[in-house]
Amino acid sequence: VSDASGCSMVALLHTGAAKFPRTLLPRVRQAVRSLLAAGVLKGYGSIVSRKLASHGFGASMAAMSSFPPQRYHYFLVLDFEATCDKPQIHPQEIIEFPILKLNGRTMEIESTFHMYVQPVVHPQLTPFCTELTGIIQGMVDGQPSLQQVLERVDEWMAKEGLLDPSVKSIFVTCGDWDLKVMLPGQCQYLGLPVADYFKQWINLKKAYSFAMGSWPKNGLLDMNKGLNLQHIGRPHSGIDDCKNIANIMKTLAHRGFIFKQTSKPF
């Protein structure tokens, strides 16, 4: 593919041999923008972005091109809050059940599921739990049981088209605790089945470590700091934590990161 001066832009960018005079930059940007829009450079977007970035104008390139396509149509961001105390009470019970439906192409939030859950084994929240999560007794009293909430999750999944076999979606959590420990443990205690869609997920901590090369010891706080993002809302609010996870994912996706399942098959 040649620009107006006859240079093979893709070949030069691919080899790293391109040395653009400043007078040619506007022409190069416009030519690449046109070719990307027309689909001519499909498959070369990431190469072009990397090479132009190496020449000091990656920001303008990022503005004109989209990030690489993800493997999933939708990401379902989930973050439970549960009954807790010091020392820890057993069994723990989910008291906040939020899910954000994130479009895998735009990385924007399309839909929200959010319910509080009535605990039954330890129905009275401890002061420690309220201080940590911000959830007060009145927010869980009279709310549906976990079984009822799981039924509503399934209804929401169906309404959002997420149960269609042709639609690829996966849950995303900040750690493995939510879907490896908390949900299956409480379901086992209550004699409830665990839907198959809860049995595979992406651990954002692992994804972040793959993308950034460091492990976020303090979870969302470290990831926001590492990406220069402002923390959204209140720490340990389930719905606010979901918003932070979604924001971190969007930022990593814009940097070219492709999210992959991190959980092992059940």
Side-chain angles (χ1 to χ4, degrees):
V1 180
S2 299
D3 69 356
S5 66
C7 295
S8 177
M9 290 187 296
V10 172
L12 286 171
L13 289 167
H14 184 66
T15 60
K19 303 294 183 182
F20 297 114
R22 289 293 172 182
T23 56
L24 283 181
L25 290 185
R27 292 167 59 190
V28 172
R29 289 176 178 142
Q30 183 57 46
V32 173
R33 184 185 293 112
S34 300
L35 290 169
L36 284 170
V40 175
L41 292 183
K42 185 177 182 181
Y44 287 93
S46 60
I47 296 172
V48 172
S49 296
R50 290 196 302 271
K51 296 305 176 183
L52 286 181
S54 71
H55 289 283
F57 49 100
S60 60
M61 188 63 211
M64 71 174 76
S65 64
S66 60
F67 47 85
Q70 296 291 330
R71 296 184 171 195
Y72 297 92
H73 297 114
Y74 296 101
F75 297 104
L76 305 176
V77 179
L78 176 150
D79 190 272
F80 295 139
E81 298 304 324
T83 53
C84 53
D85 202 3
K86 282 192 173 183
Q88 189 60 271
I89 57 176
H90 297 283
Q92 284 188 276
E93 300 171 85
I94 295 169
I95 54 176
E96 185 180 6
F97 203 128
I99 306 172
L100 299 181
K101 179 188 177 187
L102 202 64
N103 186 300
R105 181 177 57 83
T106 65
M107 302 304 286
E108 298 292 344
I109 299 168
E110 286 194 353
S111 182
T112 301
F113 178 93
H114 186 213
M115 293 189 71
Y116 291 100
V117 190
Q118 170 75 62
V120 295
V121 182
H122 301 287
Q124 194 70 29
L125 301 183
T126 65
F128 175 85
C129 183
T130 293
E131 182 178 353
L132 180 69
T133 66
I135 299 172
I136 62 174
Q137 192 64 42
M139 295 167 72
V140 297
D141 284 346
Q143 294 301 310
S145 65
L146 180 63
Q147 180 177 0
Q148 292 170 320
V149 171
L150 289 173
E151 290 170 355
R152 296 189 190 182
V153 169
D154 203 66
E155 292 169 359
W156 178 79
M157 295 275 288
K159 179 175 70 71
E160 295 293 329
L162 297 167
L163 301 184
D164 184 334
S166 66
V167 175
K168 293 186 65 178
S169 65
I170 189 167
F171 279 90
V172 183
T173 58
C174 185
D176 291 321
W177 174 82
D178 301 81
L179 293 178
K180 186 176 183 179
V181 177
M182 189 60 239
L183 182 63
Q186 190 176 357
C187 284
Q188 182 179 30
Y189 183 88
L190 297 173
L192 301 174
V194 178
D196 286 342
Y197 46 70
F198 286 126
K199 296 180 179 179
Q200 50 276 318
W201 63 89
I202 295 169
N203 177 344
L204 183 64
K205 292 180 183 179
K206 290 182 180 178
Y208 177 90
S209 69
F210 296 152
M212 303 295 289
S214 63
W215 183 261
K217 294 180 181 179
N218 295 313
L220 293 175
L221 296 177
D222 280 358
M223 288 186 274
N224 277 326
K225 183 177 180 181
L227 295 170
N228 295 315
L229 299 174
Q230 289 292 321
H231 191 87
I232 299 170
R234 184 189 197 284
H236 300 295
S237 158
I239 190 65
D240 287 347
D241 284 353
C242 284
K243 292 174 183 177
N244 281 285
I245 292 170
N247 200 30
I248 291 165
M249 292 184 69
K250 182 178 180 180
T251 302
L252 291 177
H254 274 286
R255 294 186 176 202
F257 185 73
I258 306 296
F259 290 92
K260 303 173 184 177
Q261 177 179 330
T262 62
S263 64
K264 295 180 180 179
F266 273 56

